[in-house]
Amino acid sequence: MSLAIIGGTGLTALEGLEITRREVVRTPFGEPSTPLIHGRFRGYDVTFLARHGYGHNIPPHQVNYRANIWALRHVGVQQVLAVAAVGGITEAYGPRKIAIPDQIIDYTHSRTMTFFEQDVGPVTHIDFTYPYDAELRAWLLRAAAEAGVEAVDGGTYGATQGPRLETAAEIQRMRRDGCDLVGMTGMPEAALAREAELPYAHCAVVANWAAGIEDGGTVSMEEIREHLTYGMESVRKIIASLAPRVTA
Ligand code: HPA
């Protein structure tokens, strides 16, 4: 069992996944968002996990990120592809674009963000200079090219606390900080994957211009839904050409 996909908003199931087994994993940190779905996708082993639950009922700040990553590690997956909707901040990251970010700025707070707690062992500091796995990113970009999907290579992902969207001023601050994308679920997920020594990369689907970016405009939920439906089709194509590479 090698490739795990954590699906976000707009990807609560992986079409074309022939499910072989559902596995309830109990972890020292509680329950993952859903049982793990093991299956065959285009002839390869894939494990799928819906980050927000099947009914999309777990908000970003209440996702049990530790249980999710721990469970994936426990069942022996070797790579994690995280799919998530984002807002676009800079020009290259408009709605419907797919981006494979290469950096993170974490604005989240009050989330449990480490496996390394008192009584678990010695204090451990992971290296997180480059938060995403370079090889998995490269595979993703190649898979996108082969699938005929244009994917932006790189970009800085700003992780916000949610569940509310940002103010225009917060987005302007994030832009000054160097953020290209904004989302609510990228952290602590990426850091926990690094702690668990799981190669992790992020396939970001731009669902909207972030607050105030487009002529100072607000964010429309209707627009988000429309762009996401389109963007997730592109993601499915990328996953289809990625699977053989990572699970061969
Ligand atoms: N902000 C934060 N998270 C998001 C957005 C946004 O504009 N769009 C989709 N997820």
Side-chain angles (χ1 to χ4, degrees):
M1 221 118 12
S2 191
L3 175 66
I5 297 170
I6 303 180
T9 306
L11 193 75
T12 46
L14 187 60
E15 240 169 71
L17 180 69
E18 299 155 35
I19 298 171
T20 50
R21 203 158 54 90
R22 286 186 170 75
E23 185 175 6
V24 175
V25 182
R26 296 192 201 293
T27 88
F29 308 102
E31 299 249 322
S33 299
T34 65
L36 302 185
I37 308 295
H38 302 297
R40 304 276 295 170
F41 185 73
R42 312 263 165 143
Y44 298 92
D45 289 333
V46 168
T47 297
F48 185 83
L49 174 62
R51 186 186 287 111
H52 299 285
Y54 292 133
H56 202 273
N57 53 349
I58 310 172
H61 62 295
Q62 284 174 342
V63 170
N64 192 337
Y65 295 97
R66 291 201 299 183
N68 287 352
I69 295 294
W70 193 96
L72 292 176
R73 165 89 201 208
H74 178 72
V75 301
V77 307
Q78 284 155 340
Q79 282 108 357
V80 178
L81 168 60
V83 179
V86 297
I89 298 177
T90 51
E91 287 71 29
Y93 301 84
R96 301 193 175 188
K97 283 276 168 66
I98 303 294
I100 313 298
D102 59 357
Q103 274 299 333
I104 296 176
I105 299 180
D106 188 8
Y107 301 89
T108 65
H109 51 84
S110 328
R111 297 184 182 190
T112 314
M113 73 319 213
T114 180
F115 289 116
F116 301 127
E117 290 193 318
Q118 230 180 338
D119 305 331
V120 174
V123 174
T124 306
H125 301 286
I126 51 159
D127 173 69
F128 205 46
T129 312
Y130 301 103
Y132 299 113
D133 182 71
E135 194 173 14
L136 189 52
R137 284 190 69 257
W139 276 338
L140 270 170
L141 288 163
R142 246 178 282 144
E146 276 166 27
V149 174
E150 202 191 318
V152 186
D153 179 0
T156 297
Y157 172 101
T160 56
Q161 175 68 4
R164 68 166 175 84
L165 292 163
E166 300 70 36
T167 67
E170 285 168 339
I171 292 296
Q172 285 309 318
R173 180 180 72 148
M174 291 177 77
R175 189 206 269 271
R176 288 193 298 276
D177 283 354
C179 293
D180 300 294
L181 304 161
V182 54
M184 301 175 189
T185 56
M187 284 293 282
E189 197 173 85
L192 290 165
R194 179 61 56 84
E195 286 189 352
E197 298 178 346
L198 281 173
Y200 176 99
H202 186 161
C203 188
V205 182
V206 184
N208 56 284
W209 283 115
I213 287 291
E214 198 179 33
D215 303 325
T218 57
V219 180
S220 138
M221 297 308 135
E222 190 53 41
E223 186 200 339
I224 287 188
R225 266 190 293 275
E226 227 174 82
H227 293 318
L228 259 188
T229 305
Y230 182 95
M232 287 304 167
E233 270 315 303
S234 305
V235 170
R236 286 191 178 90
K237 289 185 198 157
I238 295 175
I239 292 172
S241 42
L242 176 75
R245 219 170 244 116
V246 290
T247 56

